[in-house]
Amino acid sequence: MVVVARQVEAYIREFFDQNPLSQIGLVILKDGVAHCLTDLGGSPEAHIKALMGKLGTSGDASLQNGLDLVCDLLNQIPSYGHREALILYSALSTCDPGDILETIQKCKASKIRCSVIGLSAELYICKHLCQETGGMYFVALDEPHLKELVLEHAPPPPAIAEFAVANLIKMGFPQRTAEGVISICSCHKEAKVGGGYTCPRCKARICELPTECCICGLTLVSSPHLARSYHHLFPIRPFDDVSPSLKDFHKLPKNCFGCQLSLLNPGNLPGPQVACPNCKQHFCLDCDIYIHESLHNCPGCESLR
């Protein structure tokens, strides 16, 4: 349990680092029922505090009760958002009050993607759940393998075109309050000195971003949060491999569009390179990795704008 809690804590911090506008809720399966440990929220510290204060196991695990609770929590998420459930499951059975196959179909109809990381042995019902909902199912071999499997779920999946329709959402960009100013914090209901943020609509004090204003309900974010979320949800298309023939050699660019280094091997023969499917510019393999993993923008496409 200590190992699992440590990995969940690392996952929560990594998840909010890569998905600053997303929310997490924690559910515990024990004694044949599902307990909601924390409601959906965007504060990593609140989730970790609740997690570390409730360590313990008892009774049977009920996968069906857990999925029912997850459906109730995630059905309030709007259609343009992702609905995902990550289940860390150590039991060798599930004690359900009804037909779990119906519950799995309900999750599928609600477009909830369920992934399971097993801590003991492979179970057919977990594998069936992941296959039906489009999730991933793995069984951890040891602690490093568990950490690797858990952190694989931190980056968000690309937005689905049919659900990523344009929606206008009101957001506020609060200003940092001056140091030394004493004000009453709306989230903790106590007086604090400086270091917080002021809601642009109702002027209430907020401790951390992103969050929803406790007074007027406005979504409060900072511009870096929006930028980091956008890059992950709408990633750059993979570049196409270029396999030049000798007759087309003279038509190819001699230098990488990104770093301007030569794309030629010793002997002036064309080396390995890739091309952007949109702007048709050619890049070396190092720039390809840098653009997709760090920059999240194609220099060729940006220069066309």
Side-chain angles (χ1 to χ4, degrees):
M1 195 64 196
V2 173
V3 170
V4 171
R6 190 186 301 130
Q7 302 311 332
V8 172
E9 178 185 358
Y11 169 77
I12 290 173
R13 296 190 187 281
E14 182 69 16
F15 178 86
F16 281 114
D17 182 63
Q18 301 205 35
N19 309 264
L21 300 184
S22 296
Q23 295 181 326
I24 280 182
L26 298 179
V27 173
I28 293 179
L29 307 179
K30 64 179 182 178
D31 297 324
V33 293
H35 303 273
C36 184
L37 184 60
T38 58
D39 290 321
L40 289 173
S43 171
E45 297 306 325
H47 292 305
I48 292 169
K49 183 179 179 182
L51 176 72
M52 294 309 175
K54 291 285 184 179
L55 289 177
T57 59
S58 60
D60 296 318
S62 175
L63 197 56
Q64 183 183 14
N65 286 334
L67 293 176
D68 283 332
L69 182 54
V70 165
C71 280
D72 294 339
L73 288 173
L74 295 183
N75 276 335
Q76 58 187 289
I77 302 296
S79 60
Y80 54 81
H82 286 280
R83 301 174 182 180
E84 289 189 272
L86 175 59
I87 303 167
L88 301 180
Y89 203 71
S90 63
L92 288 171
S93 61
T94 172
C95 178
D96 300 324
D99 187 357
I100 190 173
L101 298 178
E102 291 182 4
T103 306
I104 291 175
Q105 292 306 313
K106 186 171 76 170
C107 290
K108 185 178 180 181
S110 299
K111 296 183 171 55
I112 298 175
R113 179 175 178 257
C114 301
S115 298
V116 181
I117 298 176
L119 303 174
S120 49
E122 182 174 307
L123 297 180
Y124 167 77
I125 193 63
C126 293
K127 193 171 186 179
H128 179 71
L129 168 66
C130 297
Q131 288 173 343
E132 287 292 308
T133 59
M136 296 187 292
Y137 180 43
F138 294 103
V139 176
L141 302 175
D142 49 28
E143 185 177 353
H145 189 223
L146 174 63
K147 180 179 181 180
E148 180 185 326
L149 293 177
V150 169
L151 293 183
E152 271 185 17
H153 291 84
I160 303 170
E162 60 181 296
F163 304 123
V165 293
N167 285 276
L168 293 177
I169 306 168
K170 285 188 177 181
M171 286 189 174
F173 296 88
Q175 290 185 334
R176 182 99 172 160
T177 54
E179 297 295 333
V181 175
I182 300 177
S183 55
I184 295 179
C185 162
S186 63
C187 39
H188 295 93
K189 310 291 189 294
E190 58 186 40
K192 293 191 175 181
V193 181
Y197 300 90
T198 304
C199 173
R201 178 192 279 172
C202 66
K203 308 304 179 187
R205 178 203 162 100
I206 307 295
C207 280
E208 56 185 15
L209 299 178
T211 186
E212 283 189 3
C213 178
C214 305
I215 307 301
C216 63
L218 184 67
T219 301
L220 303 176
V221 298
S222 65
S223 52
H225 291 150
L226 277 181
R228 275 158 47 203
S229 298
Y230 180 87
H231 290 327
H232 282 300
L233 292 174
F234 303 97
I236 306 173
R237 290 170 58 187
F239 289 170
D240 299 326
D241 287 326
V242 178
S243 51
S245 59
L246 291 177
K247 62 179 181 180
D248 298 329
F249 172 58
H250 63 283
K251 299 178 183 178
L252 296 176
K254 302 295 187 291
N255 296 322
C256 168
F257 187 82
C259 61
Q260 298 299 312
L261 294 180
S262 175
L263 291 173
L264 302 178
N265 280 332
N268 287 334
L269 294 176
Q273 54 190 281
V274 292
C276 173
N278 295 327
C279 64
K280 308 302 181 187
Q281 298 289 355
H282 287 232
F283 298 91
C284 64
L285 301 186
D286 289 336
C287 283
D288 179 24
I289 295 171
Y290 174 66
I291 288 169
H292 283 90
E293 294 187 359
S294 302
L295 193 60
H296 302 298
N297 286 294
C298 172
C301 297
E302 293 298 323
S303 64
L304 290 176
R305 297 180 187 179

